[in-house]
Amino acid sequence: MNVKLNRRSFLTMAGVASGAAVLAACATPVAAPGEEPMAEDYIVNHWTWLSASDAEVWGAHIDNFNEAHAGLGIQIERLEVSSNEYKTKVLAAAATGQAPDFGWADAGERADFIADGVMIPVEEHLAEAGLDWSDFTALSVAKGRYPQFNNQLYHMPLDAMTWQLEINLDHVEEAGLDPDSPPTNNDELLEWSKALSVQEGDTVVRSGFLMTGSGLHVAFIWGLVAHQMGFRITNDELTEVCVNPDAAKEAAQWTLDLFDVHKVATRDVSDRYKAFGTGEGSMFITGPWTLNGYIEQGLNFAVEFTPNIGGELATRLSVGSQEMYIQEDESRYARSAEALTWLSDESFLWTTQGRGAACRQSILDRDDYKAHRWEYRQPFVEGMEFATFIPPKLKAAPDFKYYTSPNLVHRIIDPVWQGDKSVDEGVDELCAAWEELLAAE
């Protein structure tokens, strides 16, 4: 097993998986008095970092698998692990030969796991279990391939997420704007943002365009606009960083101006989800994982396509996927593949009530696919056509992403949003740091 963690490193790692967390390979059900002993179920161990309403729907999907396979000798045991601890715990478990069988990932963002021998390619295992790879959208499969690892496929796509614009319709009505003509470009976005913002003296108490004052969300907005303006974190060959840095600087200034010139956003926002839900923000670029919570809350909002702010219409793409982990007993792969194939074949529930768009064409083509909350889901699904803003597939991927925290990007760029570092200083410093990371790949 090629896992680059020794016994000493395992024992000293903080928050390692406990024996209780690493579930046994099988469990023996207890028979009622007078009944014949029940057959043992083979237990497939699954770890997930999903939370809130996502976790509820995913849990129901796992329960459906277990119900459908009751008495058939296979069950899935699900363990919820904090997203902040997930990577550490998987590495620790793999170092002792007790990794879970499969778990959640954003496809294309696990080059470090692959290099450390923690993951295995999934294409052949799942095909042998009967998964029809030809039914998947080409984009979702491409996201899970890694050119530097012989272009092998390491992820089974489950849902495709794009970032789109959510708008508080009560605020729109109050401002006298036309909800049927949402902003589609930079000028319109600024016009709407100013009309929707509310100030008390010099203080913005309602952000027409909601952003946080630091961390991942403001960095994401900057990165998205920079991408639309022509900036690229790396070139396609992954040999050069910061293609067109002037666009990154222009986008950073655009972001700063939302706070200081247009006054349509405030640095005081820390919890973006709460701020939008409580009416402290009017427009919010985010993902489909927010829908269940806001709909259940009764928030009067609409979802529209992300505007073309920088000149090239684009938005962020993320493909929620399952990955298979290295096992000392390689016979486990076939049972994991059996479970994963069912979870994909039956993923209608997950991709209509859970999170992102279906990755299976047969589900997308179903007559009833658009029957569930389509007025909210439609932009997230159809926005796949311009979801070209994708992080590079590098081992140091977390430090090349805007939308993760904490990481290199935020440590270097947050002082720009606070006025403690100039735009030029921040972008130049980040590009230099990225260049060092790329050289170490």
Side-chain angles (χ1 to χ4, degrees), residues 1-3 22-25 42-47 90 93-103 117-121 125 323-337:
M1 183 174 69
N2 182 31
V3 179
V22 182
L23 301 171
Y42 184 100
I43 300 299
V44 180
N45 301 322
H46 166 54
W47 287 8
V90 169
T96 63
Q98 294 180 305
D101 292 294
F102 68 91
V118 174
M119 288 165 51
I120 66 167
H125 289 295
E323 57 194 15
M324 291 173 61
Y325 302 116
I326 192 76
Q327 303 292 323
E328 290 184 343
D329 178 3
E330 295 187 359
S331 69
R332 297 186 66 83
Y333 298 145
R335 304 309 299 268
S336 298

Side-chain angles (χ1 to χ4, degrees), residues 14 33 75 84 87 98 179 190 213 270 277 311 313 378:
Q75 296 282 280
N84 293 330
K87 178 178 178 179
Q98 294 180 305
L190 291 178
S270 57
L313 181 60
Q378 181 176 9

Side-chain angles (χ1 to χ4, degrees), residues 168-184:
N168 186 307
L169 294 178
D170 289 338
H171 296 178
V172 169
E173 181 180 4
E174 176 188 317
L177 298 168
D178 182 1
D180 295 325
S181 300
T184 60

Side-chain angles (χ1 to χ4, degrees), residues 3-328:
V3 179
K4 299 179 181 177
L5 289 171
N6 57 33
R7 177 68 178 172
R8 180 176 298 174
S9 351
F10 165 69
L11 291 173
T12 56
M13 291 179 82
V16 295
S18 67
V22 182
L23 301 171
C26 63
T28 305
V30 178
E35 291 184 357
E36 291 293 324
M38 299 171 68
E40 291 185 351
D41 279 330
Y42 184 100
I43 300 299
V44 180
N45 301 322
H46 166 54
W47 287 8
T48 169
W49 39 255
L50 297 178
S51 61
S53 58
D54 283 352
E56 293 177 10
V57 180
W58 183 246
H61 194 36
I62 298 295
D63 290 344
N64 288 344
F65 173 91
N66 288 334
E67 183 177 350
H69 292 80
L72 298 181
I74 182 171
Q75 296 282 280
I76 297 174
E77 290 280 4
R78 174 174 60 103
L79 178 68
E80 293 185 10
V81 178
S82 164
S83 59
N84 293 330
E85 300 177 325
Y86 189 87
K87 178 178 178 179
T88 300
K89 288 194 171 185
V90 169
L91 288 172
T96 63
Q98 294 180 305
D101 292 294
F102 68 91
W104 271 96
D106 288 327
E109 300 178 19
R110 289 288 204 222
D112 55 344
F113 270 25
I114 299 171
D116 286 342
V118 174
M119 288 165 51
I120 66 167
V122 300
E123 192 165 13
E124 290 185 10
H125 289 295
L126 292 169
E128 289 173 0
L131 188 67
D132 181 7
W133 283 110
S134 68
D135 189 41
F136 285 80
T137 61
L139 184 62
S140 68
V141 173
K143 188 78 163 53
R145 293 192 183 279
Y146 292 78
Q148 66 269 51
F149 298 107
N150 299 319
N151 210 37
Q152 293 189 91
L153 182 61
Y154 281 86
H155 301 279
M156 184 193 78
L158 265 172
D159 63 84
M161 292 172 288
T162 66
W163 273 241
Q164 305 299 343
L165 184 67
E166 296 182 357
I167 304 176
N168 186 307
L169 294 178
D170 289 338
H171 296 178
V172 169
E173 181 180 4
E174 176 188 317
L177 298 168
D178 182 1
D180 295 325
S181 300
T184 60
N185 57 44
N186 182 55
D187 290 343
E188 292 171 359
L189 181 67
L190 291 178
E191 178 186 351
W192 272 55
S193 297
K194 292 173 183 178
L196 292 166
S197 294
V198 175
Q199 288 183 240
E200 292 180 359
D202 293 332
T203 303
V204 176
V205 295
R206 187 172 83 196
S207 299
F209 187 78
L210 180 66
M211 293 189 300
T212 55
S214 62
L216 60 84
H217 192 258
V218 63
F220 163 72
I221 296 297
W222 163 56
L224 172 61
V225 175
H227 187 90
Q228 290 190 352
M229 289 180 173
F231 175 70
R232 297 294 182 267
I233 296 175
T234 67
N235 60 358
D236 293 340
E237 294 76 25
L238 303 179
T239 59
E240 178 185 350
V241 299
C242 289
V243 178
N244 192 6
D246 287 344
K249 295 176 180 180
E250 183 182 354
Q253 190 60 56
W254 179 91
T255 305
L256 272 175
D257 287 349
L258 294 179
F259 292 119
D260 301 325
V261 176
H262 305 301
K263 297 188 182 301
V264 297
T266 173
R267 294 177 174 87
D268 294 335
V269 172
S270 57
D271 187 335
R272 59 201 183 278
Y273 300 121
K274 180 180 177 181
F276 188 72
T278 57
E280 297 173 49
S282 301
M283 293 190 294
F284 178 33
I285 296 181
T286 187
W289 56 85
T290 58
L291 293 181
N292 276 335
Y294 291 145
I295 292 170
E296 291 173 7
Q297 171 189 330
L299 188 68
N300 184 23
F301 76 108
V303 183
E304 305 291 348
F305 291 129
T306 290
N308 183 349
I309 299 167
E312 175 189 339
L313 181 60
T315 195
R316 172 80 154 83
L317 171 69
S318 178
V319 177
S321 304
Q322 299 298 305
E323 57 194 15
M324 291 173 61
Y325 302 116
I326 192 76
Q327 303 292 323
E328 290 184 343

Side-chain angles (χ1 to χ4, degrees), residues 363-383:
I363 293 177
L364 291 169
D365 290 341
R366 281 176 54 162
D367 291 339
D368 55 350
Y369 183 70
K370 298 179 179 180
H372 189 79
R373 296 174 172 175
W374 185 243
E375 68 273 24
Y376 300 104
R377 295 171 43 235
Q378 181 176 9
F380 290 112
V381 176
E382 296 183 352

